Amino acid sequence: MTKRRDAGDAATFKLATFNINGVVRRLPNLLAWLKAARPDAVCLQELKAAQDRFPAEALEKAGYGAVWRGQKTWNGVAILARDAVPVQTADRLPGDGDDNQSRYIEAAVGGILLGCIYLPNGNPQPGPKFAYKLAWFERLRKHAAGLRKAGHPVALVGDYNVVPTDADIYPTRSWDDDALLRPESRAAFAKMVRAGWTDALRKVHPAAPLFTFWDYKRNRWPRDAGLRLDHILLSPALAPRLVDAGIDRDVRGQEGASDHAPAWVTLSREG
């Protein structure tokens, strides 16, 4: 793709994650946000589209190359790059050759290795879906350890389906028994942070309420009853380059919106 980078963004790299909740249905929303926000790289989750239904041509016209792994009806992940094509390095999470769910894709963009994650929801729990969630999380932790050990700048980005702490959810007890808040889920996320991965949103905003998801039910968007499910974890080699982070909340309020809003970080460029 032809390079046409703006002079004003030469010093920083903007990375975002967006659970689009149906990339075909919400393509107009996605294109409008890309035009307004102009991220350099985006990790998308919940494509809900078969491989041949991904709107690659429309995204290319908007200035974004893509790699993706679709799945009919459910799941699906993609990585977009502005004025470039991501260099794909993996299309699934190692550790279980029988796992065919489209939940992980990995690619290099702008000298950064991006792992795009759609971690299992895990409900209902207890049960096989929750066991799968925890097993998937352990596979991610092991893969992340290898990436961290290699010393490259890495970002593990996406919908983790985990509310890390009570500060990441509106005041309520109605979610207490949900897999998103179970102690095992929170412990798995905390274990990655303790291993050296920086929770970028919390690093920049250590105390502020931060929500990325508002369920369609029970009027949760109008009353700001949100949860933080979407996270950007930076490796020790990348974390020192963190400049800013935020959430494009207004995107959630638009007509036909996903139930998630994009979360983003800006990183200083090397050199």
Side-chain angles (χ1 to χ4, degrees), residues 121-254:
N121 176 283
N123 284 302
Q125 64 78 34
K129 291 187 176 181
F130 191 57
Y132 173 59
K133 177 191 187 90
L134 297 180
W136 204 98
F137 222 140
E138 179 61 14
R139 288 163 55 201
L140 175 63
R141 186 195 66 78
K142 290 180 178 178
H143 184 56
L147 296 175
R148 188 186 71 246
K149 186 176 181 181
H152 301 305
V154 181
L156 297 177
V157 179
D159 180 356
Y160 279 69
N161 268 316
V162 176
V163 177
T165 72
D166 288 347
D168 299 303
I169 185 171
Y170 68 102
T172 183
R173 301 304 301 271
S174 61
W175 293 82
D176 284 2
D177 292 328
D178 195 281
L180 308 178
L181 277 75
R182 289 297 302 164
E184 300 94 329
S185 303
R186 287 179 162 183
F189 186 87
K191 191 173 185 178
M192 289 190 64
V193 174
R194 288 197 306 271
W197 293 88
T198 295
D199 179 352
L201 285 163
R202 274 292 168 224
K203 182 70 174 180
V204 175
H205 306 282
L210 295 173
F211 305 148
T212 64
F213 167 81
W214 296 260
D215 199 296
Y216 294 124
K217 296 177 291 187
R218 299 184 178 89
N219 212 34
R220 286 190 171 119
W221 167 248
R223 59 191 181 93
D224 198 23
L227 295 73
R228 186 168 73 106
L229 301 180
D230 305 273
H231 309 297
I232 299 173
L233 299 188
L234 307 179
S235 70
L238 186 57
R241 293 165 53 186
L242 177 63
V243 174
D244 199 5
I247 299 163
D248 291 343
R249 287 172 52 102
D250 61 306
V251 174
R252 174 60 180 85
Q254 295 170 358

Side-chain angles (χ1 to χ4, degrees), residues 11 37 46-47 52 64 71 86 92 100 108 110-111 135 143-144 149-151 153 176 188 205 225 229 231 245 270:
E46 265 197 287
L47 302 180
D52 61 357
Y64 284 84
Q71 188 166 7
R92 62 192 63 222
N100 291 316
H143 184 56
K149 186 176 181 181
D176 284 2
H205 306 282
L229 301 180
H231 309 297
E270 286 191 308

Side-chain angles (χ1 to χ4, degrees), residues 5 12-14 21 23 39 51 59 71-72 96 100 112 144 183 252-253 262 266:
R5 185 161 305 283
T12 59
F13 181 94
K14 186 174 184 180
N21 190 20
V23 70
Q51 187 74 5
L59 288 165
Q71 188 166 7
K72 186 178 180 180
D96 184 352
N100 291 316
I112 299 171
R252 174 60 180 85
T266 53

Side-chain angles (χ1 to χ4, degrees), residues 23-52:
V23 70
V24 175
R25 178 180 179 184
R26 305 193 203 282
L27 182 59
N29 302 72
L30 175 59
L31 293 174
W33 172 73
L34 290 172
K35 183 177 180 179
R38 294 184 61 77
D40 294 287
V42 185
C43 292
L44 299 177
Q45 305 85 37
E46 265 197 287
L47 302 180
K48 295 183 177 179
Q51 187 74 5
D52 61 357

